[in-house]
Amino acid sequence: MLFFTQCFGAVLDLIHLRFQHYKAKRVFSAAGQLVCVVNPTHSLKYAPTRCTAAQTSVEQGVLPPCHHHEAVHDPQLVPCTCPLFSCPWEGHLEVVVSHLRQTHRINILQGAEIVFLATDMHLPAPTDWIIMHSCLGHQFLLVLRKQEKYEGHPQFFATMMLIGTPTQADNFTYRLELNRNQRRLKWEATPRSVLECVDSVISDGDCLVLNTSLAQLFSDNGSLAIGIAITTSKVHNAEAEM
């Protein structure tokens, strides 16, 4: 009986996930957008990390040694950019995508416009939803985080990070859009580089910020659909024409 109960619960979870995916595809397929269902992961990174030191060192043009030991590292190496875990991995920027996919099993979706469907929004903070978006010859990291900036008041933070340098990031513009129940909310900005650390972006509030009430207005049965579009910046286009 116990075996039957466990198997039946797993089947119900799978049916529920496929039903959510089907609903999202039905809503957004008319716009030609790809839909990716993203399950939440409880973050293990909310402890002292290298982010603050790494950001300062990036501004100075060097990277700090790992806090686990005092060995001097190659200044071209960057720490793991995955915000979900305190990962000790370091490597060159061009192999970050391979590390995220192979080690952290982060999905990657291709297309000019996609829909990021985050499930189980009701889970307690801190919780992260993350996916990679391949577009315009580059890879971007979309991070949605539920976090309490003030005790007892969780908020949702969504941002797009370029897996590249800050100079490369300045060439793009990303748009996040929520659209439900005759309400529409848009956030448009220049993506930040993963070298700058997603924790700092959230702390600065330089991202889409939703309180719980606003997130509920745009959610559907505990899932939040975020439309994503990435374009080259107008300044970059003007310079190219000149």
Side-chain angles (χ1 to χ4, degrees):
M1 182 59 113
L2 179 61
F3 176 78
F4 174 78
T5 303
Q6 291 177 340
C7 290
F8 186 68
V11 171
L12 284 181
D13 290 340
L14 180 60
I15 293 175
H16 176 66
L17 180 60
R18 291 182 64 87
F19 178 67
Q20 288 180 319
H21 195 178
Y22 169 76
K23 287 200 306 179
K25 290 183 69 175
R26 184 181 59 185
V27 172
F28 295 101
S29 60
Q33 295 173 304
L34 299 175
V35 178
C36 184
V37 178
V38 185
N39 294 320
T41 301
H42 286 284
S43 178
L44 304 176
K45 193 180 178 181
Y46 294 96
T49 65
R50 293 174 292 175
C51 277
T52 302
Q55 183 180 10
T56 302
S57 299
V58 167
E59 294 173 354
Q60 297 174 350
V62 296
L63 289 173
C66 177
H67 72 281
H68 296 295
H69 50 81
E70 297 182 355
V72 177
H73 289 266
D74 185 341
Q76 294 183 345
L77 297 180
V78 297
C80 176
T81 58
C82 183
L84 300 177
F85 306 102
S86 295
C87 177
W89 179 88
E90 287 184 325
H92 292 276
L93 192 59
E94 57 268 21
V95 296
V96 168
V97 173
S98 297
H99 169 73
L100 292 177
R101 297 198 67 182
Q102 296 175 8
T103 302
H104 299 293
R105 305 297 181 185
I106 295 177
N107 293 326
I108 185 168
L109 203 61
Q110 298 185 5
E113 295 186 6
I114 66 174
V115 175
F116 179 96
L117 183 65
T119 66
D120 300 323
M121 303 294 295
H122 62 278
L123 291 178
T127 303
D128 289 329
W129 295 259
I130 183 172
I131 193 176
M132 285 190 290
H133 182 191
S134 179
C135 182
L136 300 174
H138 290 77
Q139 282 73 41
F140 300 83
L141 199 66
L142 177 68
V143 178
L144 174 65
R145 174 174 297 171
K146 185 177 184 179
Q147 179 176 325
E148 290 187 357
K149 293 200 72 172
Y150 307 100
E151 186 175 357
H153 298 279
Q155 294 177 298
F156 293 90
F157 304 86
T159 187
M160 182 74 76
M161 312 285 289
L162 172 71
I163 303 179
T165 66
T167 300
Q168 291 174 320
D170 288 339
N171 295 328
F172 299 95
T173 298
Y174 76 94
R175 184 181 74 247
L176 304 179
E177 181 175 338
L178 305 176
N179 190 352
R180 186 173 182 271
N181 291 337
Q182 298 181 340
R183 298 179 179 89
R184 178 173 295 180
L185 180 63
K186 290 184 180 181
W187 167 267
E188 187 171 291
T190 299
R192 301 279 284 271
S193 166
V194 292
L195 299 177
E196 300 180 56
C197 187
V198 66
D199 293 340
S200 300
V201 175
I202 291 177
S203 298
D204 295 341
D206 185 17
C207 56
L208 174 64
V209 182
L210 304 172
N211 59 31
T212 304
S213 299
L214 193 57
Q216 289 177 348
L217 286 177
F218 288 98
S219 65
D220 180 17
N221 292 325
S223 297
L224 187 67
I226 304 177
I228 307 168
I230 301 176
T231 58
T232 54
S233 64
K234 296 180 180 179
V235 174
H236 178 65
N237 289 337
E239 292 177 350
E241 292 177 358
M242 293 178 62

